[in-house]
Amino acid sequence: MSSKRPDHRSDEARSDVARRAVERLAEGRDLSIEGAVDDARRELRASDTSRRPTRSELRAHAQAYEESLGVDVRPQRLRATLGEVLDVLAALEALVLREDRDGIERPGPEVYGRAALGEFDLDPVVHIRLTTCLTSTSIARTLVEIGLEEPAFTTIESRVGRLDRIDTSSALAEYRVLRIPPSISIDPDNDLVRGTRVPHAGFEELSRRIARFETL
């Protein structure tokens, strides 16, 4: 009975593509991850049938690339990114306490997904849930006031219906602020689209993560 041997050449080729894609992004030659992978595959003449590198493989190469730039480069960026996230959370909470008539009763804003774990390699996207009766325009105004880019407005189809989302960015990360109407009951531990468990953290937990990076 024969067994299929692992294709080490295919693994090496995929790793080469991932490494080159990360380099292209760092060099500013590509603006998107998918575009960088496509261009790296063409540049390295990867087989059309070879598997594309996964996001986790790309993130590993992104971390290795950044660490090659100097021992302090990555920890400094992580601290700066987490510091900015804390500023965003603080500004959003202050907005709700100041302008939402029932602001004192609202849960504090929280970060969801990889950003809640302090993972900001390759594609730093910060997903935030904000429970409030305030309008998306009010939220967007606050984000601009603290120095983020002019937001865009969109909606998502979730398991609890359509929800408004405010998208913005900085030099360090992209931000997706999901506005949760107080009338809607949600499970804070679950992804609102897939229904799967998702990590999340508020201001205090993220503050502790910054303290941990101080030791790196």
Side-chain angles (χ1 to χ4, degrees), residues 135-155:
T135 66
S136 296
T137 302
S138 297
I139 298 169
R141 186 183 307 116
T142 294
L143 296 173
V144 171
E145 288 174 351
I146 63 174
L148 300 185
E149 295 297 322
E150 193 68 32
F153 300 93
T154 187
T155 59

Side-chain angles (χ1 to χ4, degrees), residues 7 24 43 48 51 63 90-91 98 103 107 118 125 134 178 186:
D7 189 343
R24 291 184 65 91
E43 183 178 326
D48 290 339
R51 188 166 65 84
Q63 179 176 338
R98 185 176 65 249
V125 180
L134 298 176
L178 198 61
I186 64 170

Side-chain angles (χ1 to χ4, degrees), residues 42-57:
R42 283 191 290 267
E43 183 178 326
L44 299 176
R45 298 184 178 181
S47 169
D48 290 339
T49 60
S50 63
R51 188 166 65 84
R52 297 170 68 87
T54 64
R55 284 298 177 97
S56 62
E57 290 169 335

Side-chain angles (χ1 to χ4, degrees), residues 88-166:
V88 173
L89 290 179
L92 291 174
E93 185 166 22
L95 169 68
V96 172
L97 290 172
R98 185 176 65 249
E99 299 186 15
D100 189 322
R101 64 180 180 273
D102 295 315
I104 194 67
E105 300 174 6
R106 309 296 188 213
E110 288 198 323
V111 173
Y112 279 74
R114 292 178 54 249
L117 304 175
E119 297 176 359
F120 297 106
D121 291 306
L122 185 67
D123 52 351
V125 180
V126 182
H127 295 274
I128 297 174
R129 292 184 193 175
L130 181 67
T131 300
T132 183
C133 65
L134 298 176
T135 66
S136 296
T137 302
S138 297
I139 298 169
R141 186 183 307 116
T142 294
L143 296 173
V144 171
E145 288 174 351
I146 63 174
L148 300 185
E149 295 297 322
E150 193 68 32
F153 300 93
T154 187
T155 59
I156 68 164
E157 294 291 345
S158 77
R159 289 173 172 258
V160 295
R162 300 186 71 182
L163 296 173
D164 295 331
R165 196 179 76 186
I166 302 97

